[in-house]
Amino acid sequence: MGLEIKLPGAFTSIQDKGRRGYLSQGFMESGACDKYSMTAANLFAGNLSEPELAVLEFTLKGGEITFTSDEVIALAGADMNPLKNGVPIPMYRPVVMREGDSLSLGMASKGLRSYLAVYGGVAVLPVLGSRSTDLKSCLGGLEGRVLKAGDLLKSGKCGEEKMRFAAGVYKMDFTSLSEENEPWFINPSNPFRYSADKRYVLLRAVPGPQTETFTEEGRNTFVRNPYQLTADCDRMACRLGGPSVEMRKGADIISDAVLEGSVQITASGLPIVMLADHQTTGGYAKIATVISTDIPALAQLRPGEWVTFQYVTAMEAVKIARKENKKLLELKKIIETAMGKW
């Protein structure tokens, strides 16, 4: 079978790269909030040619899973101190789980969201080209909902191929990825801004599309000050607290498209950054759009943590995205070398 959910954790759902191309019909993109960690987990789980297969996304606290068949898994993202049958196992490495084995995940000691990939992906029926869970429309994933105790999930591959891969895991050599402190591949490549003894996650953003709605002072306020994540943050968006962004004639506009990374400014002058479950349209003016490579860092922050913003051009955003893709390709190549022919 695959996996049986014994304890679902705080908020666990099935996600992949998202449901693209249906915003005009009113369907959210959904997908993993931290797509970098999702991709890394899939690569280490052996899904080298399909790093966007469906995974389990755990938020803040994991749960407990019993394996009803032999599987190969990998974990990435927030460290929830994973245990196999009560014994610690590494993240960012393939791990063989035998039938009857138990995987338990606790509170995240760092970060917010953790991702569990399975060799062959989590096998649920795709809806509109994606297996991601859309909670508001109740579609995708498993019955369009978060996971609960007793749920049974299948992996996408079985038989001889999976058995050969599982046997090969014990022969894989990942010493080239072992470094002191924090290895280069664990986190996305977003920068930080430093002020005195404080370090803030720096979110790079392309200005607009409603730049003219804001005064010059307001546009400068947005990038010169830190903003704090409020308690009102979820898969849809992160609401921020901090200095008010000055507008010319108010925040309301004729509703237009909203994307992941869109930064709306509310009537109070405070930013909201859209995440994976963002709405399809919105009526607040957007001062900027956070680039895709920096969204994973935001998705791992908790309420009370801080961010700052920096304007970049569209061309700079493309160069940054290409550099990040090159980093993932390098990681994929190293993993392929370590796995060999398993």
Side-chain angles (χ1 to χ4, degrees), residues 16-20 22 52 125-132:
D16 59 14
K17 65 179 180 180
R19 193 164 283 105
R20 308 289 177 83
Y22 295 94
E52 297 176 333
L125 291 176
V127 178
L128 299 178
S130 172
R131 293 177 170 82
S132 286

Side-chain angles (χ1 to χ4, degrees), residues 305-325:
E305 297 189 279
W306 296 79
V307 298
T308 57
F309 295 92
Q310 174 182 300
Y311 293 127
V312 294
T313 66
M315 184 59 70
E316 288 172 328
V318 170
K319 290 181 180 178
I320 293 168
R322 287 174 176 169
K323 184 177 180 181
E324 189 78 333
N325 185 59

